[in-house]
């Protein structure tokens, strides 16, 4: 259920650090004579300093004007730091959590956009950039005392080891890594840093350390699960118990009853194909652990993180921007059973590919492409994305970062979008010559760069759900409910296919359909099929006041 907007907006979670630099020429002016005098006569120097400071303090006390001036200066300095750097020495992480949100959550600006117009002639910003009311929700990972008590026993255990092999694209692997940590916790086992299976579609051979910051991953989860880079030598020659056929959505009880005895006997358990194997309906502490892994522990490796932030700054220098995740690649059309809507030539290409490799179709093979579209199972093409953006009042000069692989049909496929919104960029457009070269043929790393720029955008919209769309929606919610547009495909597509509707009426209908799909706080009521990493309320975020209304 969504929450009514009668509470003040959440404060920004952005906490940039402040530094005071000292010029090197000041340091170099300290001669060896000065330094030696400090070493030779420490007591005398200290005594002189003490007397001097005491004398100055007496002068200040006797001179109220100087004392008041100094007090005002200190207060002014404090206020300046507060304004410029969000400096708050009395602030604490919500719920007393020790995880550093500045370093783990990344750059989480809610944007500098304001729908108001001042009286100095500054141009009024479009309402499209106005952020939703976050209702004061903030991250809150308050693990129970029982969880903390059991942690000590789990971290001491050296008898059980869990090895996992994760598959798919970067975001799919990310989901499986989250579940791998939780499964290790359930079993009280030491987790070996997950192994990334070579992607069969893109041939990406990236390893965990190529994509994620391993040391940060271990350090962040040090109080929850013991994580090591490789198996101890006494287990290297042993044959692990391998499980390939874990059912979907299993409970913690099922995992313990199935694996615990064998782990104790053999010492090592090997799991493959964890996608959607762990239930989404877990005890509260395990849900909080999932959030801790997804939003704090899985930070991208420094080279990716740094370049992603550079691309973000280059995009932001153009003004507020929309990140658009376009799913128009050839494999997407094949897997979803949908048609790209370009021409009969491209429709035939998809038809032939699907006929030769029917195993690629993900589900519901008995549905026609038209039925799939009406059911909201197809990605939006460029024509539909353009019409949706116009209906949602995106300004014509909107700066758009588009994430995703090369669309089937190349630039031709994007023409309807580029004609309406000419300021369209991707990571290749933003990168300097040679910057992307180290990551050539690394689809997972390219996806990670898209993730960073998209997550930091003023507005985000996916053309299709998918793993990346869901992950970024949850990340932006956890960062303070930054504006995220969720296309209501099932309800809106019948209007897209109605030629009788005038443009004005069409735009009003589509706009009204999306009033409550702009990233407002949503309570995760359906525990079985809604992932906490997409809907982090109520397990991972909290507000003192919670006013709710039905969806």
């Amino acid at each position: 259920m969504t929450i009514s907007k009668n509470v003040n907006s959440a404060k920004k979670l952005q906490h940039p650090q402040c530094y005071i630099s000292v010029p090197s020429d000041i340091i170099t002016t300290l001669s060896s004579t000065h330094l030696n005098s400090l070493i030779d006569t420490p007591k005398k120097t200290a005594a002189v300093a003490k007397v001097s400071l005491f004398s100055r303090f007496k002068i200040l006390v006797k001179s109220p004007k100087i004392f008041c001036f100094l007090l005002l200066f200190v207060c002014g300095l404090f206020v300046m730091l507060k304004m410029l750097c969000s400096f708050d020495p009395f602030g604490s992480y919500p719920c007393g959590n020790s995880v550093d949100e500045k370093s783990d959550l990344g750059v989480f600006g809610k944007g500098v956009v304001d729908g108001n117009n001042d009286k100095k002639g500054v141009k009024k910003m479009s309402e499209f950039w106005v952020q939703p009311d976050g209702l004061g929700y903030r991250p809150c990972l308050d693990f129970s005392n029982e969880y903390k008590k059991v942690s000590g026993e789990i971290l001491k255990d050296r008898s059980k080891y869990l090895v996992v092999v994760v598959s798919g694209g970067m975001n799919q692997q990310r989901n499986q890594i989250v579940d791998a940590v939780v499964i290790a916790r359930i079993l009280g086992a030491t987790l070996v840093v997950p192994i990334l299976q070579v992607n069969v579609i893109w041939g990406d051979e990236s390893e965990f350390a190529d994509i994620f910051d391993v040391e940060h991953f271990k350090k962040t989860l040090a109080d929850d699960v013991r994580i090591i880079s490789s198996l101890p030598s006494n287990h290297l020659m042993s044959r692990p118990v391998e499980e390939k056929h874990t059912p979907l959505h299993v409970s913690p009880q099922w995992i313990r009853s199935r694996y615990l005895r064998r782990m104790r006997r053999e010492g090592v358990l090997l799991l493959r194909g964890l996608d959607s194997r762990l239930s989404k309906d877990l005890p509260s502490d395990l849900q909080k652990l999932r959030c801790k892994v997804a939003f704090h522990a899985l930070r991208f490796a420094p080279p990716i993180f740094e370049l992603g932030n550079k691309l973000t700054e280059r995009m932001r220098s153009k003004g507020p921007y929309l990140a658009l995740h376009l799913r128009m690649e050839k494999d997407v059309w094949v897997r979803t059973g949908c048609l790209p809507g370009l021409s009969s030539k491209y429709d035939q290409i998809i038809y032939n590919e699907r006929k030769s490799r029917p195993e690629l179709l993900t589900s519901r093979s008995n549905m026609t492409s038209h039925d799939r579209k009406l059911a909201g199972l197809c990605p939006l093409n460029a024509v539909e994305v353009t019409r949706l953006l116009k209906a949602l009042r995106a300004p014509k000069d909107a700066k758009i970062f588009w994430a995703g692989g090369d669309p089937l049909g190349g630039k031709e496929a994007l023409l309807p979008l580029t004609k309406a919104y000419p300021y369209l960029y991707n990571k290749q457009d933003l990168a300097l010559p040679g910057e992307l070269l180290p990551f050539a043929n690394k689809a997972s790393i390219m996806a990670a760069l898209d993730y960073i720029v998209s997550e930091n955008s003023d507005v985000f919209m996916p053309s299709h759900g998918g793993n990346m769309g869901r992950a970024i929606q949850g990340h932006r919610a956890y960062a303070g409910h930054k504006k995220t547009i969720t296309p209501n495909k099932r309800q809106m597509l019948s209007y897209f296919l109605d030629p009788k509707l005038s443009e004005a009426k069409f735009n009003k209908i589509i706009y009204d359909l999306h009033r409550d799909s702009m990233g407002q706080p949503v309570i995760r009521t359906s525990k079985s099929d809604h992932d906490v990493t997409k809907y982090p309320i109520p397990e991972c975020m909290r507000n003192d006041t919670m006013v709710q209304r039905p969806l």
Side-chain angles (χ1 to χ4, degrees):
M1 52 179 57
T2 18
I3 303 165
S4 63
K5 304 180 183 178
N6 58 351
V7 186
N8 291 333
S9 301
K11 293 182 179 179
K12 297 178 184 177
L13 292 177
Q14 196 172 10
H15 299 288
Q17 297 176 335
C18 302
Y19 301 92
I20 299 176
S21 60
V22 180
S24 59
D25 54 348
I26 293 177
I27 297 173
T28 54
T29 57
L30 292 175
S31 66
S32 59
T33 307
H34 293 123
L35 294 175
N36 287 333
S37 66
L38 291 174
I39 297 170
D40 294 338
T41 57
K43 292 183 180 179
K44 182 178 179 181
T45 306
V48 171
K50 186 174 181 181
V51 171
S52 177
L53 285 172
F54 183 71
S55 302
R56 290 174 186 175
F57 180 76
K58 284 171 66 179
I59 292 170
L60 285 176
V61 172
K62 290 180 179 179
S63 178
K65 288 184 179 180
I66 297 176
F67 183 83
C68 291
F69 177 81
L70 183 61
L71 185 63
L72 286 171
F73 175 80
V74 171
C75 292
L77 181 62
F78 181 90
V79 171
M80 183 180 69
L81 287 171
K82 176 86 174 172
M83 292 174 61
L84 295 178
C85 305
S86 299
F87 175 71
D88 187 2
F90 311 109
S92 61
Y93 192 86
C95 306
N97 194 307
S98 61
V99 182
D100 182 0
E101 64 182 311
K102 287 178 290 187
S103 60
D104 301 329
L105 293 180
V107 185
F108 284 132
K110 292 245 317 179
V112 292
V113 224
D114 191 341
N116 299 322
N117 190 10
D118 66 21
K119 296 179 180 180
K120 296 180 181 180
V122 176
K123 183 181 177 182
K124 182 178 179 180
M125 302 299 288
S126 165
E127 67 174 277
F128 181 77
W129 304 114
V130 176
Q131 298 297 313
D133 190 341
L135 303 180
Y137 277 95
R138 290 187 59 118
C140 177
L141 304 183
D142 53 339
F143 293 96
S144 69
N145 290 331
E146 180 62 25
Y147 179 92
K148 296 172 185 175
K149 181 181 177 182
V150 174
S151 295
E153 301 170 9
I154 289 174
L155 297 173
K156 291 176 184 175
D157 195 315
R158 300 291 188 274
S159 63
K160 304 186 295 294
Y161 295 87
L162 177 63
V163 179
V164 297
V165 180
V166 299
S167 57
M170 188 275 293
N171 290 288
Q172 192 175 357
Q173 290 172 340
R174 213 164 176 266
N175 293 338
Q176 294 172 59
I177 293 167
V178 171
D179 285 353
V181 173
V182 177
I183 291 172
R185 172 76 192 199
I186 291 168
L187 294 170
T190 297
L191 176 67
V192 179
V193 169
I195 300 166
L196 308 190
Q197 183 175 308
V198 177
N199 192 287
V200 293
I201 297 177
W202 301 287
D204 190 343
E205 298 180 358
S206 298
E207 297 180 359
F208 188 98
D210 296 325
I211 302 173
F212 303 106
D213 188 330
V214 179
E215 293 309 312
H216 178 78
F217 181 68
K218 293 179 183 177
K219 180 182 176 182
T220 304
L221 300 171
D223 295 331
D224 308 276
V225 176
R226 181 170 173 255
I227 302 174
I228 58 176
S229 296
S230 59
L231 278 171
S233 56
N234 59 318
H235 285 286
L236 290 176
M237 300 305 292
S238 61
R239 185 172 183 177
V241 179
E242 184 172 358
E243 178 62 67
K244 298 180 181 178
H245 305 293
T246 305
L248 295 172
H249 311 303
V250 296
S251 67
Q253 293 75 18
W254 188 96
I255 289 171
R256 290 190 190 98
S257 63
R258 176 81 174 184
Y259 301 138
L260 206 49
R261 183 178 297 178
R262 288 192 286 170
M263 280 193 83
R264 285 172 177 158
R265 184 178 66 246
E266 303 295 336
V268 182
L269 171 67
L270 172 61
L271 294 180
R272 297 178 183 272
L274 289 181
D275 197 20
S276 299
R277 294 307 189 256
L278 182 63
S279 171
K280 294 178 175 61
D281 186 9
L282 298 173
S284 179
D285 283 323
L286 295 181
Q287 296 288 47
K288 290 178 173 63
L289 179 57
R290 297 189 80 215
C291 289
K292 189 174 181 179
V293 181
F295 303 136
H296 294 279
L298 280 175
R299 185 166 67 185
F300 292 118
I304 301 172
F305 189 76
E306 289 165 13
L307 180 55
N309 283 335
K310 285 180 183 177
L311 299 180
T312 297
E313 289 307 313
R314 289 168 197 167
M315 195 68 213
R316 188 165 295 287
S317 68
K318 304 174 188 302
Y321 71 95
L322 159 72
L324 186 60
H325 186 215
L326 293 176
R327 301 309 317 275
M328 297 167 59
E329 304 96 317
K330 179 181 175 182
D331 71 287
V332 174
W333 296 119
V334 172
R335 285 188 290 107
T336 56
C338 303
L339 296 176
L342 292 171
S343 66
S344 57
K345 168 190 168 184
Y346 292 107
D347 288 351
Q348 192 62 42
I349 290 173
I350 297 303
Y351 176 78
N352 293 339
E353 185 78 15
R354 197 176 296 136
K355 188 176 180 180
S356 63
R357 301 185 65 187
E359 72 277 5
L360 293 178
L361 188 60
T362 50
S363 63
R364 303 190 192 184
S365 56
N366 60 330
M367 294 177 69
T368 65
S369 59
H370 182 71
D371 290 338
R372 285 171 176 274
K373 193 172 195 67
L374 288 178
L377 299 174
C378 294
L380 299 176
N381 59 33
V383 173
E384 292 157 347
V385 167
T386 304
R387 294 190 72 190
L388 176 57
L389 289 177
K390 285 181 176 179
L392 296 179
R393 304 172 186 175
K396 294 178 181 179
D397 62 349
K399 312 304 183 293
I400 300 176
F401 173 83
W402 70 272
D406 294 330
L408 177 67
K411 291 183 179 180
E412 178 188 343
L414 295 175
L415 274 178
L417 184 59
T418 53
K419 283 182 179 178
Y421 296 97
Y423 301 104
L424 194 67
Y425 310 86
N426 64 6
K427 51 188 171 292
Q428 284 81 10
D429 299 320
L430 297 174
L432 301 178
E435 272 188 321
L436 295 177
L437 197 58
F439 310 127
N441 302 318
K442 300 285 185 180
S444 292
I445 295 178
M446 291 296 190
L449 293 172
D450 278 342
Y451 190 105
I452 293 170
V453 184
S454 297
E455 199 288 316
N456 285 293
S457 64
D458 296 276
V459 182
F460 172 72
M461 188 179 86
S463 68
H464 189 51
N467 290 307
M468 180 165 166
R470 287 190 289 269
I472 291 182
Q473 177 181 329
H475 220 147
R476 290 171 68 85
Y478 194 72
H481 292 93
K482 296 189 292 181
K483 188 168 184 176
T484 303
I485 301 169
T486 305
N488 193 338
K489 291 187 288 183
R490 184 170 295 183
Q491 291 189 45
M492 75 181 186
L493 281 170
S494 59
Y495 299 107
F496 277 75
L497 301 174
D498 186 352
K500 297 178 183 177
L501 277 177
S502 67
E503 185 176 359
K505 190 172 183 181
F506 170 85
N507 288 347
K508 184 179 186 310
I509 291 171
I510 299 303
Y511 184 84
D512 290 342
L513 273 178
H514 290 84
R515 284 183 183 275
D516 295 324
S517 305
M518 298 290 181
Q520 300 94 330
V522 176
I523 297 288
R524 194 179 71 95
T525 52
S526 176
K527 307 291 184 182
S528 58
D529 59 351
H530 283 177
D531 195 332
V532 71
T533 57
K534 182 180 179 183
Y535 302 103
I537 300 174
E539 287 88 353
C540 302
M541 299 186 79
R542 187 166 298 171
N543 189 350
D544 294 335
T545 16
M546 188 184 297
V547 185
Q548 306 176 20
R549 66 179 174 84
L551 282 171

